[in-house]
Amino acid sequence: LISLQTDGSSRMNISILTVFPALYEQFLETSLLKKATGAGIVDFNLYRFADCVPPKKRIDEPACGPGAGMVIRPEVVEAAVDVAEKKSGRAFKIFFSPHGTKLDQKKMRSIVKKISEQNKTHLMLVAARYEGMDLRVEDEYADEIISIGDYVLMGGDLPAMVFLEAFLRLVPGVVGDQESVVEDSFTGPFVDYPNYCLPVQWHDRTIPEILRSGDHKKINVWRTEQAVKRTLASHFDWLRHSPVTSDQKALVRSFIPPHYVVLMHDQVMTGPEKIVGTTSVTSLDIHDIARSAATYGIKKYFLVTPLLDQQKIVAQFLEFWHEGGGVTYNESRHVAIKEVVVKASLELTIAAIFEAEGKMPLVIATSAQKSPRDNCITFHDQGVVWSHDRPVLLVLGTGRGLTDALLAKVDFVLVPVEGCTDYNHLSVRSAAAIIFDRWLGLNPQ
Ligand SMILES: C[S@@+](CC[C@H](N)C(=O)[O-])C[C@H]1O[C@@H](n2cnc3c(N)ncnc32)[C@H](O)[C@@H]1O
């Protein structure tokens, strides 16, 4: 936890500037917020915009330009800010708007840190209504502009309350049991583990045996595993945007279903007429995709070619890197290429995975065009795929891409890799690297 009060004495004054102060009255009188006020940790002051302007003066004006909507006047916000700062000193000011920075636990912690570094003991939350505020007040006053999600509410009051609850959990003394805050979801890269309470049996559901074992060490291991599993199922984006240690990476890897990749030199379209046929292997593809596959924890990289002379060429190449001079010539290259296997068909590739894993893989094809079928998945659908608890085989095409017949047989087709242009003719090596990264990559903030 970050300490807000650097001198350990002064309380946090929280001013809320709003059109509707009545919305907060019960909220501030409830549970931990009331306790925090009672304990002298925080003090709340509500300011109604209408009370900060002369009687009968409107607080809003029609938005300039075409279109409907009323906007809160800048002088009104100015007057309310002045009144609140006169009473409680210079404030750290937070405005709420859908266009602001999305609030999450990292953002929350960074705000708490800023307030503490600036030695501020006055926090001001400014809640708009109607079409929002005149932009100039945000430019003039806001230390932070916060959105609580990509949806539009009627006003900034619920965002202010959401912010307050998240903020106050991080203020020492507000939540009685600090341990529960330290173990909260999003404190690290994972969500919280599941909790149960008595009775042991409810409907046909029983508390997991392990929690009743009394073996704290085992319970902690189980809880960590559950937290990782839940994170992978529904919060992979949080995990991939969080810093993770090497041990955490290994733990995560052990719960992601095994991934394989196959590069098809068969069942592909070739030439300008897109004739179904075969293509030649290239050493560049083998090197580069093997290195990408190793980076993203892909267990094996299969090359499919039905042509015997091509298989022979690959076998020679692999011999050098698996057990020949390549092992000592470039060890890290050996580490990547030792997972490359050549097969005569996709069916034999799938059979090899079945033999290794005891389960048939889910087959995900890739294509530069959007699939017209309804088996299309996006780079946000890992949870859907991983919930099947089956190995995953990513299929990459060469030549002009995988044939329609093959695309019709697979479980899923990934959306094409795209940038902000209409061009996406990537080499398979580049496409592979981007696909692996979008599907499995970590990108910590
Ligand atoms: C009706 S909204 C204005 C919506 C505005 N026309 C837009 O599309 O961005 C009025 C006010 O509610 C608050 N608000 C609405 N949705 C919000 C969100 N997701 N996060 C933070 N504040 C929000 C803001 O204070 C906003 O100025």
Side-chain angles (χ1 to χ4, degrees):
L1 291 183
I2 303 156
S3 176
L4 271 177
Q5 289 99 355
T6 42
D7 63 357
S9 59
S10 50
R11 77 172 66 186
M12 193 73 194
N13 293 294
I14 301 181
S15 302
I16 301 167
L17 280 48
T18 171
V19 177
F20 299 124
L23 284 175
Y24 297 82
E25 279 161 13
Q26 204 165 2
F27 174 71
L28 298 179
E29 283 296 305
T30 308
S31 184
L32 296 180
L33 274 72
K34 187 182 167 69
K35 262 171 92 183
T37 320
I41 300 169
V42 286
D43 195 17
F44 293 104
N45 287 292
L46 290 165
Y47 296 92
R48 191 165 85 108
F49 286 125
D51 294 340
C52 301
V53 292
K56 298 215 176 101
K57 264 264 187 208
R58 288 193 64 89
I59 64 165
D60 54 354
E61 277 284 337
C64 283
M70 302 298 283
V71 173
I72 299 184
R73 291 169 44 223
E75 307 93 309
V76 175
V77 183
E78 180 183 16
V81 168
D82 286 349
V83 174
E85 288 199 321
K86 212 167 193 183
K87 178 172 164 71
S88 308
R90 290 267 304 165
F92 189 92
K93 302 181 192 72
I94 300 185
F95 284 61
F96 297 94
S97 175
H99 79 85
T101 308
K102 195 107 58 87
L103 186 64
D104 65 15
Q105 199 69 9
K106 286 189 197 96
K107 183 73 200 164
M108 198 68 235
R109 283 180 178 273
S110 91
I111 293 176
V112 172
K113 193 157 170 255
K114 270 191 205 167
I115 296 174
S116 138
E117 279 167 3
Q118 292 177 20
N119 277 328
K120 291 264 168 65
T121 53
H122 182 196
L123 170 67
M124 184 184 289
L125 307 181
V126 188
R129 284 267 150 185
Y130 323 123
E131 273 313 303
M133 310 227 160
D134 183 302
L135 180 73
R136 290 168 293 180
V137 284
E138 286 180 2
D139 291 347
E140 177 90 7
Y141 294 120
D143 291 296
E144 293 282 351
I145 303 171
I146 292 295
S147 160
I148 61 160
D150 295 340
Y151 42 81
V152 177
L153 302 164
M154 308 283 199
D157 298 294
L158 286 177
M161 291 183 204
V162 167
F163 181 89
L164 263 181
E165 290 223 343
F167 175 79
L168 289 174
R169 279 188 81 76
L170 299 182
V171 176
V174 176
V175 176
D177 186 355
Q178 300 281 284
E179 206 183 316
S180 71
V181 176
V182 173
E183 288 181 357
D184 268 347
S185 293
F186 313 119
T187 302
F190 309 124
V191 296
D192 200 2
Y193 53 76
N195 283 303
Y196 297 84
C197 65
L198 295 176
V200 171
Q201 186 81 27
W202 179 75
H203 295 186
D204 59 347
R205 297 163 197 279
T206 314
I207 294 179
E209 189 80 45
I210 178 98
L211 291 179
R212 291 175 283 139
S213 68
D215 185 333
H216 287 204
K217 219 168 153 193
K218 278 196 182 145
I219 291 175
N220 283 339
V221 171
W222 179 86
R223 283 179 164 168
T224 306
E225 290 176 358
Q226 295 300 311
V228 175
K229 280 189 188 172
R230 287 173 135 194
T231 309
L232 288 173
S234 58
H235 277 81
F236 185 53
D237 267 352
W238 172 262
L239 163 62
R240 72 202 311 195
H241 293 144
S242 302
V244 279
T245 63
S246 188
D247 286 350
Q248 285 169 331
K249 275 190 201 173
L251 190 61
V252 167
R253 218 168 39 243
S254 71
F255 286 101
I256 293 180
H259 279 59
Y260 293 85
V261 64
V262 58
L263 180 63
M264 295 297 296
H265 290 283
D266 187 26
Q267 299 182 66
V268 289
M269 298 179 291
T270 61
E273 273 97 49
K274 297 193 169 172
I275 294 164
V276 174
T278 56
T279 52
S280 302
V281 296
T282 74
S283 61
L284 208 55
D285 284 347
I286 307 180
H287 278 281
D288 288 2
I289 297 178
R291 294 163 76 181
S292 297
T295 303
Y296 293 93
I298 288 169
K299 274 179 94 171
K300 291 258 177 257
Y301 163 22
F302 293 95
L303 277 173
V304 163
T305 172
L307 308 176
L308 291 180
D309 61 338
Q310 293 279 299
Q311 287 174 13
K312 239 191 240 161
I313 295 170
V314 180
Q316 255 175 15
F317 171 95
L318 293 183
E319 199 193 334
F320 175 78
W321 286 105
H322 286 186
E323 59 221 47
V327 179
T328 45
Y329 171 67
N330 185 338
E331 204 198 327
S332 88
R333 197 65 62 90
H334 157 72
V335 166
I337 298 180
K338 76 179 163 49
E339 306 306 344
V340 181
V341 182
V342 64
K343 290 282 171 198
S345 69
L346 182 59
E347 288 67 31
L348 287 172
T349 302
I350 292 172
I353 297 172
F354 178 72
E355 200 182 317
E357 304 291 345
K359 285 181 188 170
M360 286 296 272
L362 275 172
V363 181
I364 305 180
T366 57
S367 171
Q369 273 95 46
K370 200 170 183 306
S371 169
R373 301 181 188 84
D374 57 9
N375 61 351
C376 194
I377 53 166
T378 72
F379 290 100
H380 304 275
D381 290 327
Q382 290 90 340
V384 176
V385 171
W386 297 346
S387 70
H388 292 264
D389 197 21
R390 283 167 57 185
V392 176
L393 174 62
L394 294 164
V395 187
L396 302 168
T398 53
R400 306 274 166 142
L402 300 169
T403 61
D404 274 347
L406 196 161
L407 290 175
K409 279 196 305 202
V410 299
D411 297 296
F412 300 108
V413 180
L414 261 174
V415 287
V417 168
E418 278 183 291
C420 285
T421 70
D422 293 328
Y423 187 95
N424 72 342
H425 302 274
L426 294 162
S427 71
V428 69
R429 297 180 297 285
S430 303
I434 297 169
I435 289 165
F436 297 165
D437 190 61
R438 287 191 181 179
W439 190 253
L440 293 163
L442 303 181
N443 186 12
Q445 273 176 330

